[in-house]
Amino acid sequence: LGSDLTTLGLNLNSSKSLYSTFSSPWADGPSKSEPQFQIPACYYM
Amino acid sequence: RVDPPGAREQVTLLLEHWIKIWNDAGGVEQKCVQYLTILQHQNVLKTDESTEVFLRIAAEVCVEFCVKSGAKAEGSDLPTLNYKVIDAFASMLTILVKYASADPQSLTSRVHLLNRILGTLHRVLVADSEGPRGARPMAFDQRPYFRVFANLLRDLTAPDPVVDANNLQVLGAFANAFHGLQPQSVPAFAFSWLELISHRTFMPTLLLAKPAQKGWMLMHRLLVDLFVFMEPYLRRSQLPLAIKTLYKGTLRVLLVLLHDFPEFLCDYHFSFCDVIPPNCIQLRNLFLSAFPRTMRLPDPFTPNLKVDLLPEIAQPPRILSNYVAALSYNGIRQELDNYLKNRAPKSFLEWLPGRLRASPSQAASGSASYNVASINALVVYIGSQSILQLQKSPQNTAIGHLPTMDVFQHLVTTLDAEGRYYLFNAIANQLRYPNNHTHYFSCVLLYLFAEVTVENSEVVQEQITRVLLERLIVHRPHPWGLLITFIELIKNPRYNFWAKEFTHCAQEIERVFESVARSCM
Amino acid sequence: ADGTGLTAPLDQSSSLAALEASMRSMPTNHDRDRVRPYTPRNPYQVPERFFGPVPSPIFEDPAIFEKFQADTLFFIFYYQQGSYQQYLAAKELKKHSWRFHKKYKTWFQRHEEPKLTTEELEQGTYVYFDYQGTYELKSGWCQRIKYDFTFEYEYLE
């Protein structure tokens, strides 16, 4: 019967991307370290 | 391998020197570049061979040091590792890629050196995991290698003026490296491998890189690698703990993909269904329930929902998987095209079921006695040809009148129960988000249910029902097309569903049907 | 890494044994989280109870950036380059309708509706953040108004 996928520690209703706080396939919740972010090259002076 | 005399000592000294420079630099890259002069002075990077020797020995020394210097952790037989040396080593590799390639301003040159580095790490890792003389020791510690790859991913995918928007080349180098380290090749690294391919500096960046389809192809290949490894174990009813753990991690990764990149799962659904065993129903549903983010799915429980009036069902789905390949492989394609064009010769229909049987080696490996990939391909190909024919035919041409339906009906009547199960599965695999394939195959399945003409037709109807039901009774998600097809089956009096004997064959079955029907109606 | 030399696959039981043995060394948070070493640029001995040895974790929280004024956001943007904080400051400035000009590397905000808008540009009066100063106006680090400015969209980040 599979399993209840809502109990895997991912907020499937989130309006934001899950990948930015995805720390590991075996973590029970989002990463506590800073999320993934991209700084465009033009931000560097 | 026999190292050149004194090589290990030389490399160790160079590493010690690097660590000192790295510590003093406090993370400022420019301060570390002076180290390259030392390497050049010692001719370390002069030739491909000397570079390979340096990288290999450096990796071995750093991993060995890391593992040996681990501190015993309370309550665990595995030491907690100190990564100072490994982190320093990874930083050195980053500096080499950025500043020591033949032309540091050339992305191609950088990627060439990166490939060399990744290749060396691959070889060192494999040798370590196999142990001396291929003994495959149980003492292999994957963590230092995981750490090196993770650090390289973070540092080399960060924005850089040379890489700029062309990071697909860098990501491609990592994707190729991970393909080489796939679980089937290095099972002792599988857990780290899954974490690396789903790393937030890799997976989303690869899927967002331009041009989109190249990155998607690479990610698709890696996921197929994963399922090819797991498939033999997932086929069994009891999963060993290690596979259960790997499977749980896989589910999490797929949920991230389903949430953030559903179009990727949509466009490759065909090949993913090919590599998932038929008994993994929830897993398959995960792929099949993906739909484009711009789409709003009509509630399948809407009373009087007129599916054939939805604008989306006129649109074809994009299928990036090469579903035609399996047909060309065993000679079906040409004969099939001929039959669909001419509705002749009739002998084609007699010939076809035999061509769908598994080869002796496939059958010996314990999987199905049918070539399931061929059946899957045949179904989708027939469907796409059928839709083309319908578009060219006068409006209101019934699907039952097309030569494509001859093929379906013949297979239904001549295949045994196992073959029919795979056939219906292949059709049900197309019941996804609103598009013209979902609509067509929904109609086909319902048509086959209503028009089956074999003796004891309820056996076939029961089988169609079973294929739909087993996909519905598992935990969510459930594909939209699956729901609307089942609702139509149980609601439309044309199918006379509740009068079928199999709906009342046992109390448990009755309860299951009532429960599903209640939630549907 | 070049696609050749794939190790030949093991038989299933050997693969499973290797996988099972590897469970003991599965990466944990300790193995995956790389703590960026914090090196103060101008180290000075201060009592720890007044000034902590590392930056406060409160600056990892996006919510606090909603409370910062524009000047603070600009300060963070220009002085914490490449950091998560620069990223958050930029996000917050965008929420307040500031837009980054890639050529002048400064932030602009419409002072009024543009007088002219085409597919390539818009023209009008803008407030911009002078972080450098110009030849005529030597002192920078303030907001200035610019009339009849053309903002070409190719320079819009």
Side-chain angles (χ1 to χ4, degrees):
Chain A
L1 294 178
S3 56
D4 184 352
L5 300 181
T6 61
T7 60
L8 293 180
L10 295 165
N11 181 3
L12 301 174
N13 291 321
S14 170
S15 56
K16 296 185 185 153
S17 65
L18 294 182
Y19 67 73
S20 60
T21 52
F22 184 69
S23 70
S24 154
W26 295 285
D28 288 327
S31 168
K32 297 210 172 36
S33 56
E34 68 189 26
Q36 176 64 8
F37 65 97
Q38 285 269 24
I39 299 269
C42 58
Y43 279 7
Y44 291 90
M45 302 297 140
Chain B
R1 259 183 244 261
V2 178
D3 291 333
R8 208 163 178 90
E9 291 72 24
Q10 183 195 16
V11 171
T12 306
L13 273 170
L14 285 168
L15 284 171
E16 284 171 0
H17 199 148
W18 162 253
I19 290 170
K20 187 173 180 328
I21 290 178
W22 185 69
N23 279 334
D24 291 346
V28 178
E29 231 173 52
Q30 289 303 326
K31 291 188 183 174
C32 301
V33 179
Q34 57 173 296
Y35 181 72
L36 299 178
T37 320
I38 301 169
L39 293 181
Q40 276 157 8
H41 189 66
Q42 301 220 8
N43 293 325
V44 162
L45 306 175
K46 193 171 182 191
T47 65
D48 287 348
E49 202 192 322
S50 62
T51 306
E52 166 77 21
V53 168
F54 172 70
L55 292 173
R56 176 175 53 78
I57 296 178
E60 288 169 356
V61 164
C62 290
V63 168
E64 203 180 297
F65 182 88
C66 176
V67 172
K68 282 192 175 147
S69 63
K72 188 89 172 63
E74 209 176 287
S76 167
D77 66 340
L78 200 68
T80 303
L81 299 182
N82 182 323
Y83 289 111
K84 261 181 126 159
V85 167
I86 287 285
D87 287 348
F89 173 58
S91 294
M92 184 191 76
L93 297 177
T94 300
I95 297 289
L96 287 179
V97 169
K98 284 182 160 182
Y99 299 102
S101 59
D103 177 6
Q105 294 308 307
S106 152
L107 177 58
T108 308
S109 176
R110 281 196 188 188
V111 171
H112 180 78
L113 181 54
L114 175 60
N115 276 327
R116 181 167 293 285
I117 288 171
L118 294 174
T120 306
L121 288 173
H122 169 113
R123 285 184 281 279
V124 170
L125 192 163
V126 168
D128 193 359
S129 72
E130 289 180 357
R133 291 182 294 281
R136 298 206 181 249
M138 296 294 122
F140 171 65
D141 194 330
Q142 60 190 299
R143 295 174 295 170
Y145 299 98
F146 167 77
R147 183 81 171 197
V148 172
F149 280 112
N151 283 2
L152 287 175
L153 269 179
R154 276 197 205 97
D155 294 338
L156 292 173
T157 58
D160 180 280
V162 171
V163 177
D164 199 17
N166 296 323
N167 57 358
L168 195 51
Q169 285 196 51
V170 171
L171 293 167
F174 281 104
N176 284 334
F178 295 149
H179 177 60
L181 289 168
Q182 62 181 284
Q184 220 180 23
S185 300
V186 196
F189 194 62
F191 291 111
S192 294
W193 182 90
L194 179 59
E195 189 151 340
L196 287 168
I197 69 159
S198 62
H199 200 277
R200 52 204 179 132
T201 59
F202 179 72
M203 184 171 83
T205 333
L206 188 62
L207 293 173
L208 291 168
K210 305 272 188 285
Q213 299 203 0
K214 280 226 159 108
W216 286 22
M217 241 167 48
L218 295 171
M219 194 66 222
H220 165 254
R221 184 174 65 166
L222 292 170
L223 285 179
V224 168
D225 290 343
L226 175 63
F227 287 113
V228 160
F229 173 73
M230 291 206 295
E231 192 263 347
Y233 307 103
L234 292 180
R235 258 192 266 136
R236 304 174 195 171
S237 51
Q238 294 294 331
L239 298 186
L241 177 62
I243 297 291
K244 246 192 225 174
T245 308
L246 191 62
Y247 179 68
K248 191 174 178 183
T250 301
L251 283 178
R252 283 207 176 96
V253 174
L254 292 178
L255 286 173
V256 172
L257 289 172
L258 183 64
H259 184 275
D260 298 345
F261 302 99
E263 294 86 359
F264 167 69
L265 297 183
C266 288
D267 293 359
Y268 281 106
H269 89 289
F270 181 84
S271 38
F272 289 133
C273 284
D274 260 358
V275 292
I276 296 170
N279 58 307
C280 292
I281 299 174
Q282 184 185 40
L283 178 64
R284 190 176 47 204
N285 273 354
L286 237 169
F287 287 102
L288 301 183
S289 59
F291 60 91
R293 275 167 297 182
T294 51
M295 197 173 265
R296 293 286 166 266
L297 298 188
D299 183 354
F301 307 120
T302 309
N304 301 317
L305 176 65
K306 297 271 185 278
V307 172
D308 45 345
L309 297 180
L310 295 172
E312 294 92 342
I313 63 138
Q315 301 306 318
R318 191 163 70 164
I319 302 180
L320 294 177
S321 313
N322 184 1
Y323 65 88
V324 175
L327 286 181
S328 306
Y329 177 68
N330 53 9
I332 292 180
R333 170 99 186 259
Q334 208 173 345
E335 306 295 335
L336 177 62
D337 281 340
N338 191 39
Y339 181 83
L340 295 180
K341 190 177 170 193
N342 304 309
R343 212 162 197 159
K346 285 285 185 271
S347 56
F348 164 76
L349 295 180
E350 304 303 326
W351 170 88
L352 181 60
R355 302 303 280 182
L356 298 176
R357 287 268 171 192
S359 67
S361 58
Q362 281 172 333
S365 74
S367 56
S369 40
Y370 283 89
N371 186 328
V372 179
S374 286
I375 297 176
N376 290 342
L378 176 75
V379 162
V380 175
Y381 186 76
I382 289 180
S384 59
Q385 294 304 305
S386 208
I387 291 167
L388 277 174
Q389 285 185 347
L390 283 167
Q391 285 166 349
K392 289 180 196 161
S393 306
Q395 214 174 14
N396 300 326
T397 301
I399 58 170
H401 294 162
L402 298 175
T404 44
M405 191 52 79
D406 298 349
V407 180
F408 281 133
Q409 285 188 302
H410 183 78
L411 289 174
V412 167
T413 53
T414 53
L415 290 175
D416 60 12
E418 186 188 356
R420 272 201 307 272
Y421 178 70
Y422 297 128
L423 174 71
F424 294 142
N425 255 337
I427 295 172
N429 286 350
Q430 314 316 313
L431 304 178
R432 302 191 290 149
Y433 61 93
N435 60 60
N436 65 6
H437 278 218
T438 297
H439 184 236
Y440 170 77
F441 284 107
S442 180
C443 293
V444 163
L445 210 52
L446 294 169
Y447 181 90
L448 291 172
F449 186 97
E451 305 293 329
V452 63
T453 52
V454 285
E455 195 180 314
N456 198 9
S457 57
E458 272 208 20
V459 168
V460 171
Q461 290 169 332
E462 181 186 346
Q463 218 173 6
I464 292 175
T465 307
R466 174 208 155 156
V467 161
L468 294 176
L469 192 71
E470 65 186 12
R471 292 166 185 240
L472 281 170
I473 60 173
V474 297
H475 282 277
R476 288 182 290 174
H478 302 123
W480 181 87
L482 172 72
L483 286 163
I484 55 131
T485 304
F486 189 74
I487 290 169
E488 179 68 10
L489 182 64
I490 62 176
K491 273 175 70 172
N492 191 331
R494 178 178 177 220
Y495 305 109
N496 204 19
F497 181 78
W498 298 105
K500 307 294 175 194
E501 215 179 293
F502 58 78
T503 60
H504 310 286
C505 61
Q507 254 194 336
E508 297 92 333
I509 295 292
E510 258 191 80
R511 277 201 287 271
V512 166
F513 274 124
E514 277 165 15
S515 158
V516 174
R518 228 176 292 125
S519 56
C520 286
M521 294 167 74
Chain C
D2 61 2
T4 59
L6 288 184
T7 312
L10 299 174
D11 60 88
Q12 278 178 35
S13 57
S14 305
S15 275
L16 185 58
L19 185 73
E20 283 172 339
S22 76
M23 280 189 78
R24 64 188 274 276
S25 65
M26 270 176 78
T28 62
N29 280 340
H30 169 77
D31 307 304
R32 57 180 75 98
D33 290 338
R34 190 174 58 171
V35 176
R36 260 182 255 239
Y38 174 72
T39 315
R41 274 185 279 194
N42 301 299
Y44 191 85
Q45 284 301 322
V46 290
E48 236 184 72
R49 64 181 185 280
F50 296 123
F51 299 100
V54 294
S56 170
I58 200 173
F59 296 111
E60 304 293 320
D61 183 1
I64 199 174
F65 284 74
E66 292 168 17
K67 300 188 181 4
F68 292 154
Q69 291 185 331
D71 275 352
T72 310
L73 296 172
F74 290 132
F75 182 87
I76 295 170
F77 180 84
Y78 287 106
Y79 284 95
Q80 296 295 322
Q81 288 173 39
S83 69
Y84 183 49
Q85 287 67 36
Q86 184 191 29
Y87 168 82
L88 290 174
K91 228 170 111 168
E92 193 60 33
L93 283 167
K94 285 182 185 174
K95 271 197 222 167
H96 295 291
S97 305
W98 290 92
R99 297 288 178 265
F100 191 71
H101 194 289
K102 290 196 285 192
K103 183 178 168 192
Y104 300 127
K105 291 197 182 282
T106 191
W107 293 86
F108 283 79
Q109 189 187 56
R110 286 176 184 168
H111 183 64
E112 58 190 17
E113 275 303 297
K115 295 194 176 66
L116 168 72
T117 312
T118 70
E119 273 191 21
E120 285 86 27
L121 55 87
E122 59 183 60
Q123 218 173 53
T125 304
Y126 294 83
V127 174
Y128 70 98
F129 188 72
D130 183 1
Y131 70 101
Q132 273 189 327
T134 61
Y135 181 73
E136 297 88 11
L137 304 161
K138 287 196 183 132
S139 58
W141 202 257
C142 62
Q143 293 182 31
R144 296 192 195 282
I145 196 159
K146 196 140 179 77
Y147 302 100
D148 293 323
F149 176 72
T150 304
F151 197 127
E152 288 157 279
Y153 292 138
E154 64 170 306
Y155 295 122
L156 172 65
E157 185 269 314

